[in-house]
Amino acid sequence: MSPRTRHILELVLDNLVWFMLVFVLAVFSIFIPNFFQLGIFANIIEASSVLGVMSIGLALVIIAGHMDLSVESVAALSAMAVGIMFCSSGIGLGLQLHPEWLMVPVSLAVALVVGAVIGVVNGFLIVRLKMSAFIITLASYIWVRGLVLVVSGGRSAQDLAPAIRWFGIQRLAGLPLTAWIAVGCFVVFSLILAKTPFGRHLVMIGGNETATFRAGIRVNRNLIIAFVLAGAIAGLAGWLLAIRTSGATANLGVGLLFNAFAAVVIGGVSLKGGVGTLPGVYAGVLLLSAINTAINLMGLPANFTQVIHGLLVLAAVLLDAFKQTIRQRLA
Amino acid sequence: MKRLLLSVFGILALAFATLTPAFAQSKGTVYYLVPTLLDEFQTGSVSALELFLKQVGYEMKTLNADNKTDAQQSQMNDVIALKPKAIILAAVDFNALKPSVEAARAAGIPVVEFDRQITATPSDFTSVAGTVEIGHIAAEQAEALLKAKNGSVKGKILQVLGDPGDPYTLDIQKGFEEKMKAFPDVKIISLPAMQWEASNAGTIVADQILANPDIDLIFSHAAHLSVAAVASLEAAGKKPGDVMLMSSNGAPVGLDLIRKGWLNVEVEQPLYAQAAAVAMFMDKVANKQEIKPGDYDVLGLKSVVTKEAWGPNIKIPGAAITKANVDNPAFWGNQKPPTDTVKSVE
């Protein structure tokens, strides 16, 4: 194999998920009526904003060699906290701040703090007390969702303050601001992961925690920061979720965790830790969102959609496994 | 430390002694097995049943199955062991709970079906609005809305279902589509909002409004899905009235959307009346007395008790809520429980 062919092949393998995304979009555009239009592509990006943001936090923890199953419930609790404070219908307290724009940073801070606090609890129990991340965050997944039910009483908060809802309505270059927030998060955290010592240390910890510790890197501190970041980012996802649905219901975000895991895996992050990039994760998120949109437009009988969704995700993961095989042969 | 422990035990004993006479006055404990509490109708059903059963002398305890069939089966087994006066069951899955209903009745515990009808096995009483009937009412409303807009009953409807694993939504779909078959010029696009999750409904509406910009009417199977639908329409630059909207269950958020002009119709499940009917007949159920078929007045609604193959069944009609009657306090979405006390049927 010539060096040039090898170089091209490696480029394709490194960005396989992006090629898959382009391929899938092309196939859907050809075969699904009304799919090929700018509005639908904008919808795909918009619909992926909540899942995308949530996947960033999850990916950080997984790259560091751990796991956070609580992100979905954390997002729901943050959304409910914002909903209760800033919605005017249902259980919303209709809190008003003057000037009105103040509600944006305050609500965002509420969501981030709620998420970060749960991240601190998770991080402390997992890193300091050396408990299993799987078990601790599974417990958090359950008790935090329970807390949503407790604080809401099962009722919903609706009619989010217009100043906050503005982000869901206003568009910049055809995309709602919520989608730009998600894109911005991917850019910022991709740079953090690739260009800062903290990001590089996370990858090293995920690759070999003991060796990283022996190299003099503060493993525990970095891991706790990763869990706090995952919580805070999940809080941000909750804030976006509240904006997108103009409020919060007790079951908001149910099922997002599994999609976030799928996106992270499709995006090339290894569940064993130490491998993965955030642009890949974003491509995974867009791929899932494109599949969802295609299913919405195909008008299939309702009971078939889950099967098709699952099979398409499986196909994406199998392609990723195929990529690993080719890479091994190239090495 | 010893003194502290003694004080705690003392307070607990006092509290227990205070509570015991109250229990003694009760006619007994009834368990309500609610399918989920992540839904305003279900949360409302707990408080309504508690209120009305207390008025006729029963204490009620609630167990939440979190939408899990196996959890509800286990709850049934546990409750059977506790030998309550009766079990009120709103089944997560209609068919899967059949053996549990049979086990309870075999143990001498009457079973009341609430809101979700199980027809595969006999029970002691069933109180339903009729999910298929809700679909029928929704179809009548859709017929009127399309006729008013397009001159005849033609056009395109986007039907946003709940979770496709939930028989509740499938029954509404069945009823709705059954009636709409009479209008071949109406195209219905049906898509499920998985797990009844609002943002899923929002995504469906956002996609469909682009792919099918000529959608005349959106029918969501729950009011909270309509809220997300409205958010998507708003984001697409639509104003109230640009696309007609309709939903079912009559939750408070649905009524708010009617007041704001987004929602045209909300097909109500008569939650208060359904719960009141259970309380009215609880003495007969608990004492295993015959429930006579016929017309009954339940909170002012004419309701019919029939003898079905699965036992006595009361069906309480749902109502269409529009801007004209949205403030009627009888609708549970207005969160004003009836002040009249429910009395046991003699």
Side-chain angles (χ1 to χ4, degrees), chain B residues 172-224:
Chain B
I172 293 179
Q173 183 187 14
K174 186 181 159 196
F176 183 67
E177 289 176 6
E178 216 167 61
K179 279 253 175 181
M180 292 308 292
K181 262 186 194 157
F183 310 105
D185 292 335
V186 177
K187 188 185 175 196
I188 301 174
I189 304 162
S190 302
L191 290 164
M194 294 296 176
Q195 319 225 38
W196 290 96
E197 206 270 347
S199 68
N200 289 338
T203 306
I204 290 170
V205 171
D207 289 339
Q208 284 297 328
I209 214 73
L210 276 170
N212 294 292
D214 54 342
I215 285 173
D216 296 287
L217 171 68
I218 299 172
F219 171 35
S220 309
H221 284 199
H224 74 276

Side-chain angles (χ1 to χ4, degrees), chain B residues 23-45:
Chain B
F23 287 150
Q25 285 167 8
S26 161
K27 289 178 184 172
T29 302
V30 171
Y31 273 84
Y32 173 37
L33 274 57
V34 67
T36 173
L37 286 175
L38 297 178
D39 161 347
E40 285 188 80
F41 179 87
Q42 305 301 346
T43 319
S45 74

Side-chain angles (χ1 to χ4, degrees), chain A residues 230-320:
Chain A
I233 296 168
L236 174 61
W239 187 74
L240 294 173
L241 203 51
I243 290 174
R244 201 153 182 259
T245 55
S246 190
T249 55
N251 72 342
L252 198 63
V254 166
L256 270 178
L257 175 67
F258 301 104
N259 283 331
F261 259 99
V264 166
V265 172
I266 293 167
V269 174
S270 166
L271 290 177
K272 291 175 187 163
V275 176
T277 61
L278 290 181
V281 172
Y282 191 45
V285 171
L286 290 175
L287 187 64
L288 283 179
S289 183
I291 293 170
N292 268 338
T293 304
I295 287 172
N296 285 345
L297 297 185
M298 279 190 277
L300 294 163
N303 35 350
F304 281 96
T305 55
Q306 261 176 312
V307 175
I308 291 165
H309 194 171
L311 289 176
L312 288 171
V313 171
L314 185 65
V317 176
L318 286 175
L319 262 173
D320 189 61

